[in-house]
Amino acid sequence: ILVACDLCVIRPGIQEGFRKHLAGRLPGFALNKLCLAATHTHAAPVLAGLYLTVGLAADACEQDGYAFVGGGYFSDAKSREGIAGLITVDLADPARPAPAGFLHIGLPPQRVAVEGTTAYVLDMFAILHAADISDPAAPQLQGQCHLYEWGYDLVLDGSTAYAACGQGGFCIVDVSDPTAMTQIGHLDIDESASGVALRGPLACVTE
C-alpha cells in the first residue's frame, strides 16, 4: 500500500495514527508492508514494485538496471557485528524487483554512492567501504578507509569522496584507488557534521 500526500514530510504522529487506524480496519495486515510517501508533485505517484530488505534500508542508488541498497541490522551490539551490507537488486522487471547479490560488511550502512563499477558504502561507525560491482550478482570488497566517529552522509565527485562524520567533522578521501583509499583532508565542525552537498569548489556541511 502506498499513501502519498502533497507535503514535504509526513509527521511521525500522523504516520502512527494512520497505522493504528489501518490495523483496526484490516486485522492481521502486516504494517511493515505499509509504505508512506510524501511528494511535492500534484500528479499522483504510482508504486511500480516493492522489495523488502532484511532489517533497515538506509540508502539506495540505481545504475544500469540495478539498485544498490545499504541495509541490515545489528545481531550483536557489543561486537558491533550484524547482518548488514550492500544489497544488489535486479530492476529488469520494476513490478517484481529481484535479489541479485549481497556483500556482507557487518556494520549497518548509512550512505551508498556509485561511480562506474565501484560502490562506496559509509557505515554508521564511519568506515568507508569500496566494492567492485562489475558483476552485481557477486559484489566484492576492494578496500576500506577508517574515518572517525559516526558516518552520516557521503558524496562522490570523481575520485574524491566527501563524508559527514558527526563529531568527527568533515572528511575528504582520495578514492582513486579503491583498494587503498586515503583520507586527504579534514575539517572540525563546532557541533556535529550531519550532511554534505557540493556546488563547484564549495562543500556545504550541515550540523
Side-chain angles (χ1 to χ4, degrees), residues 57-69:
D59 196 20
C61 56
E62 185 275 340
Q63 179 172 279
D64 298 332
Y66 286 88
F68 299 91
V69 184

Side-chain angles (χ1 to χ4, degrees), residues 47-52 65-66 88-100:
L47 183 65
L50 183 66
Y51 179 79
L52 298 178
Y66 286 88
T88 59
V89 182
D90 187 346
L91 303 176
D93 181 358
R96 297 177 179 81

Side-chain angles (χ1 to χ4, degrees), residues 181-195:
M181 297 181 290
T182 305
Q183 181 174 330
I184 57 174
H186 175 265
L187 176 66
D188 284 326
I189 302 297
D190 288 342
E191 295 295 332
S192 177
S194 60

Side-chain angles (χ1 to χ4, degrees), residues 63 68 86 102-105 113-121 127-135 138-146 156 174-182:
Q63 179 172 279
F68 299 91
L86 180 68
F102 177 71
L103 173 63
H104 176 73
I105 64 173
V114 172
E115 180 71 29
T117 59
T118 305
Y120 298 89
V121 181
I127 301 174
L128 181 61
H129 309 260
D132 180 356
I133 54 170
S134 54
D135 179 3
Q140 300 293 322
L141 184 66
Q142 292 180 285
Q144 297 176 320
C145 182
H146 291 246
L156 282 180
D174 179 357
V175 297
S176 56
D177 180 357
T179 65
M181 297 181 290
T182 305

Side-chain angles (χ1 to χ4, degrees), residues 110-111 122-124 126 149-154 163-167 192-195:
Q110 292 292 93
R111 290 291 181 266
L122 180 67
D123 71 35
M124 69 182 302
E149 244 278 321
W150 304 105
Y152 281 95
D153 201 7
L154 175 69
C165 297
Q167 293 181 350
S192 177
S194 60

Side-chain angles (χ1 to χ4, degrees), residues 32-52:
N32 64 337
K33 294 182 179 180
L34 176 65
C35 177
L36 297 174
T39 177
H40 275 300
T41 66
H42 294 278
V46 177
L47 183 65
L50 183 66
Y51 179 79
L52 298 178

